[in-house]
Amino acid sequence: MRVLGIDPGLTRCGVGVVEGMPGRPGKLIAYHVVRSEPDEDIAQRLLHLDRSLAELVALHRPDSVAVERVFSQHNARTVMGTAQASAVAILAGSRAGLPVQTYTPSEVKAAVTGSGTAGKAQVTAMVTRLLSLDAPPKPADAADAIAIAICHIWRGGTRAKIQAAAIAAARRSSR
């Protein structure tokens, strides 16, 4: 399975592409950071992000897209920008006809480090170790996006099976 993981942000949006299967070491295909200037018009920033993500989806041809879910932050302006970038990321996958799944930061941290409260340095170190990389991916937005992709590979397969079983059970009971 090839997953395009996205750590949404307006100034820096991390994108990581990982191939793998649940329970097995993955392989890093690529990582990118889509950047925009904070003083640029918001519409232009979102358009740039939309076009960049569409290009990356077309380039890497993932089987699915995983996006970090927006969580409550103290700074309303930051959370608004992150939410807008997240919506663009979800649309990029949907527009390409791909399944899209969102994960909380705690889910991602727990998947790659074993602790939902791990710090950025721990996540980066585990991403480096899990994928047998020569050097940690930089900046942290890229490492986070890669971690999101790993989380989806390891947990998304299980989620998909549970959803499929629930749908099948609902169909049987409605007959």
Side-chain angles (χ1 to χ4, degrees):
M1 167 190 323
R2 181 177 282 202
V3 176
L4 189 130
I6 302 173
D7 180 28
L10 273 178
T11 304
R12 289 180 322 275
C13 179
V15 179
V17 184
V18 178
E19 269 185 10
M21 296 176 63
R24 301 246 169 107
K27 176 183 176 188
L28 179 65
I29 304 301
Y31 65 88
H32 311 270
V33 177
V34 179
R35 299 174 189 273
S36 70
E37 294 300 321
D39 57 350
E40 192 177 355
D41 178 64
I42 185 70
Q44 292 305 308
R45 294 175 79 186
L46 291 170
L47 181 60
H48 170 66
L49 180 58
D50 180 52
R51 288 179 176 159
S52 298
L53 292 177
E55 288 172 8
L56 292 171
V57 167
L59 173 67
H60 295 294
R61 301 164 70 178
D63 299 308
S64 59
V65 174
V67 180
E68 187 172 82
R69 188 177 306 151
V70 177
F71 63 99
S72 177
Q73 295 178 345
H74 300 293
N75 185 338
R77 187 171 177 196
T78 301
V79 79
M80 288 295 292
T82 304
Q84 291 165 329
S86 179
V88 170
I90 292 167
L91 283 171
S94 296
R95 192 178 291 128
L98 298 170
V100 178
Q101 184 69 51
T102 61
Y103 296 92
T104 65
S106 302
E107 286 177 294
V108 174
K109 292 173 184 179
V112 298
T113 71
S115 170
T117 60
K120 285 196 176 282
Q122 289 173 287
V123 171
T124 299
M126 283 306 296
V127 162
T128 304
R129 179 180 293 156
L130 290 169
L131 299 177
S132 301
L133 303 177
D134 293 334
K138 292 184 181 180
D141 308 279
D144 289 347
I146 294 166
I148 293 161
I150 293 169
C151 174
H152 182 69
I153 290 168
W154 289 356
R155 294 191 172 184
T158 304
R159 271 190 184 175
K161 287 178 184 175
I162 291 169
Q163 281 181 323
I167 290 168
R171 285 183 183 152
R172 282 192 302 273
S173 68
S174 67
R175 291 182 191 165

